[in-house]
Amino acid sequence: MLRRLAQGVSVFVLAYILWNTRYPLSGYVNPEFYFLIDPFAMIITSIAERVLLPGLIYAAVLLVITFILGRGFCGWICPLGALLDFISFCKSLVMRPFRKREKEDDPHPLRYGKYLVLGASLIAALAGVQLAWVLDPITVFVRAFSFTIHPLVSGSIDRGFTALLAATDYPERLEAAYNYLREGFLSLSTPAFNHAGSILAILIVILVLSLIKRRFWCRHLCPLGATLALPARFSLLRRDVSRCEKNCGSCKNLCRMNAIRKDNTYIKEECILCLDCVALCPNDRATFTFKRQGPAEAERSGSALMTRGSFMAMAGAALAAPPAAAALDAAKANGPHKPPRPGTLSLIRPPGALPEEEFIQRCIRCGNCMKVCPTNVLQPLPLSGGLARAWSPVLDTRRGYCEYRCNLCGRVCPTDAIEELSLERKQKVQIGTAVFEKKICIPYLKGENCIVCEEHCPVPEKAIRVKEGTVKGRKVMLPYVVAELCIGCAICEVKCPTKPDKGIVVVKVREA
């Protein structure tokens, strides 16, 4: 019961933090903390980018705690693990009338799969390919929540209140309650993200796998679990069944990680300290203790972390990962050149983003920057932009613009892929340049005055100015861009009245 309470609190706290990660970030807790204590994400990102991230200190603390207590993080704190346990609990309720209970064989060799994933990720990182963005369980949970669950729940509540208000002729109390929710619980506007379905699909697949076997992901695939298993193998806290007079096998079938063998010994690095074997032991004989094992008992409970064959398989898979990823990107890069299709995203990064190659190695695609953006302009880049860049944040100027008085994206980035800039510095960072499409712009095309772009330009000195000119024999005020002043915020593009194509667009600034 205590563990389930801890899991519920962990999921609620993270959901609360993510829910409040939105403009203007008042009274919030920075969601980067969960990533800073994630040793897999911090180590892989540091190796791929060849930099020592500050989060390594926090991750090291978790590794030390794991060395002392074992993989308690997986059993008590991990939000994805909590969801998997909830799915298994629901499955057990459904199957209970049929009197079908989960039965476990001896620990399955597939448990080495997570070490293959970890090894492949490490060697890929050495080759400069960062895979934490797609494999890290914290990232998978946070991204799915931010891109799909939060918009779905917030949007549904908002639409429900709107319909109810319209149906009841806007009663004062109901309208006051709705306004109160919009100021606090609900977002001012419901964000929408590209590829949200694909992002949610990854989480759904992981959850469905748990219907096959409890914690299938944690047992066989999770690289964070493998990272924590390494110090957990030598943890000081251990399971003691020396008082167990007869091996009834109950604990073996209860173990959600398949860590207990038929002879009642267990694999220490697979144990996530769920304590089911203690709480549900029919004879109250199992316990956990810090007492040292005797030599014979240590030999009996030990396990080979990895066989020679498993190591060779891991090495082969790891060595194949970087060339495969590089080949996929090279094939796209060297293929026939095609002009950008209408509606595709350019690579305009958020203000403060590192240079492109460094940015894609540092960014773990957690989605924090995209969720906190007040105008919904930051969107995940599609797979068509290259596998290495997939789901990294770019400006989609068809949706919104970079708010001149906002610098929140750098404040919630856990890997410093986006530098935390002061508002004054951010307002001077040039992420793009506005360019007029003279075949579309009203003054250039029709000879009619239109200065919407100049009016909305937030730069005090005005990066968009007007000059007198002649079009079709008529004098007209022609707008133009002062490239040295333009920061590429794209508000001019968003506010431009021409449709569907815009008379002014923002293009990426070429890196030096």
Side-chain angles (χ1 to χ4, degrees):
M1 180 60 72
L2 183 60
R3 179 185 58 81
R4 289 179 181 175
L5 178 62
Q7 287 182 307
V9 170
S10 176
V11 172
F12 175 81
V13 168
L14 180 55
Y16 174 81
I17 291 172
L18 294 175
W19 193 281
N20 287 282
T21 302
R22 62 183 191 266
Y23 187 86
L25 284 184
S26 57
Y28 88 113
V29 179
N30 201 318
E32 71 175 6
F33 173 75
Y34 273 81
F35 297 96
L36 295 178
I37 64 172
D38 183 340
F40 173 72
M42 289 297 108
I43 292 171
I44 292 298
T45 306
S46 294
I47 294 175
E49 177 56 14
R50 312 299 195 261
V51 66
L52 294 177
L53 294 175
L56 288 171
I57 298 174
Y58 299 94
V61 172
L62 179 58
L63 291 175
V64 171
I65 294 174
T66 304
F67 171 75
I68 298 171
L69 299 177
R71 285 174 60 184
F73 178 87
C74 300
W76 292 67
I77 305 298
C78 178
L80 186 55
L83 282 184
L84 297 178
D85 284 344
F86 179 73
I87 294 294
S88 297
F89 174 72
C90 293
K91 177 187 174 183
S92 67
L93 290 180
V94 172
M95 300 305 294
R96 185 173 295 173
F98 303 97
R99 297 183 179 179
K100 288 188 177 181
R101 295 183 179 180
E102 198 89 24
K103 290 187 177 181
E104 298 287 357
D105 297 320
D106 257 11
H108 201 283
L110 280 178
R111 69 181 184 276
Y112 295 125
K114 58 182 173 290
Y115 300 107
L116 302 184
V117 176
L118 175 60
S121 302
L122 286 170
I123 297 180
L126 289 171
V129 179
Q130 187 255 103
L131 297 177
W133 66 273
V134 71
L135 296 171
D136 179 62
I138 305 296
T139 302
V140 169
F141 177 89
V142 169
R143 191 165 50 212
F145 184 92
S146 297
F147 287 6
T148 59
I149 298 173
H150 173 240
L152 176 64
V153 174
S154 181
S156 298
I157 295 175
D158 185 67
R159 288 189 295 271
F161 261 98
T162 302
L164 185 60
L165 284 167
T168 55
D169 198 24
Y170 297 89
E172 184 176 344
R173 290 186 178 181
L174 187 60
E175 192 167 7
Y178 176 56
N179 291 332
Y180 177 78
L181 282 176
R182 283 184 61 83
E183 292 173 2
F185 183 73
L186 299 176
S187 301
L188 293 176
S189 61
T190 302
F193 298 97
N194 302 324
H195 320 293
S198 301
I199 289 168
L200 180 62
I202 294 179
L203 178 63
I204 291 176
V205 168
I206 294 174
L207 296 179
V208 169
L209 285 174
S210 67
L211 296 177
I212 300 173
K213 277 293 183 181
R214 292 172 294 180
R215 286 209 177 217
F216 185 99
W217 164 263
C218 308
R219 293 185 188 187
H220 307 312
L221 297 172
C222 181
L224 174 57
T227 305
L228 295 174
L230 297 175
R233 174 171 167 75
F234 308 99
S235 63
L236 304 180
L237 184 66
R238 67 177 184 86
R239 180 171 176 264
D240 183 8
V241 290
S242 58
R243 297 187 303 152
C244 185
E245 298 174 356
K246 58 179 181 178
N247 182 15
C248 64
S250 297
C251 54
K252 179 175 72 69
N253 291 325
L254 285 170
C255 183
R256 64 194 65 236
M257 285 297 291
N258 190 216
I260 301 177
R261 303 187 185 94
K262 289 181 180 179
D263 63 359
N264 210 13
T265 61
Y266 84 123
I267 304 173
K268 188 186 291 187
E269 61 269 19
E270 295 297 318
C271 176
I272 58 172
L273 296 177
C274 68
L275 302 182
D276 285 348
C277 60
V278 175
L280 302 176
C281 178
N283 301 309
D284 294 327
R285 300 296 188 184
T287 185
F288 279 78
T289 179
F290 284 102
K291 292 180 181 179
R292 297 183 61 181
Q293 291 176 309
E297 190 177 6
E299 183 179 352
R300 211 163 60 93
S301 63
S303 65
L305 188 60
M306 189 168 295
T307 64
R308 183 181 301 175
S310 301
F311 176 78
M312 295 299 293
M314 181 191 75
L319 290 171
L328 284 172
D329 286 342
K332 290 184 177 182
N334 297 328
H337 176 72
K338 297 180 181 179
R341 300 190 309 274
T344 58
L345 299 184
S346 59
L347 286 177
I348 302 177
R349 299 297 187 185
L354 295 174
E356 183 63 21
E357 293 307 313
E358 297 177 39
F359 179 79
I360 60 174
Q361 298 302 344
R362 189 82 69 93
C363 175
I364 60 173
R365 284 70 151 176
C366 63
N368 287 345
C369 60
M370 292 178 255
K371 187 176 184 303
V372 80
C373 180
T375 65
N376 203 205
V377 68
L378 288 180
Q379 292 289 321
L381 188 70
L383 291 171
S384 59
L387 185 62
R389 293 177 170 81
W391 295 348
S392 57
V394 293
L395 270 72
D396 184 354
T397 53
R398 300 162 301 175
R399 288 180 177 270
Y401 56 92
C402 182
E403 170 57 51
Y404 187 68
R405 297 172 182 83
C406 172
N407 62 343
L408 301 184
C409 52
R411 290 173 58 185
V412 296
C413 180
T415 61
D416 294 333
I418 304 173
E419 183 184 355
E420 184 176 350
L421 303 174
S422 66
L423 190 58
E424 183 179 0
R425 280 188 62 199
K426 181 264 180 183
Q427 291 173 346
K428 296 179 180 178
V429 171
Q430 187 178 43
I431 57 176
T433 303
V435 176
F436 279 100
E437 299 285 350
K438 295 184 178 181
K439 294 182 180 180
I440 301 175
C441 179
I442 293 173
Y444 287 99
L445 176 65
K446 300 180 179 180
E448 300 175 1
N449 285 321
C450 175
I451 57 170
V452 171
C453 53
E454 186 271 342
E455 290 176 332
H456 282 90
C457 179
V459 178
E461 299 86 356
K462 290 294 180 181
I464 299 177
R465 301 175 183 177
V466 293
K467 61 183 177 181
E468 191 177 86
T470 302
V471 176
K472 294 184 178 182
R474 287 178 290 187
K475 288 187 177 180
V476 63
M477 302 306 295
L478 299 174
Y480 66 97
V481 176
V482 182
E484 298 78 20
L485 296 177
C486 180
I487 59 174
C489 68
I491 190 172
C492 54
E493 181 177 344
V494 173
K495 299 298 183 181
C496 178
T498 63
K499 295 180 180 180
D501 297 324
K502 298 294 187 175
I504 185 170
V505 296
V506 173
V507 297
K508 182 184 179 182
V509 175
R510 291 185 176 272
E511 295 179 2

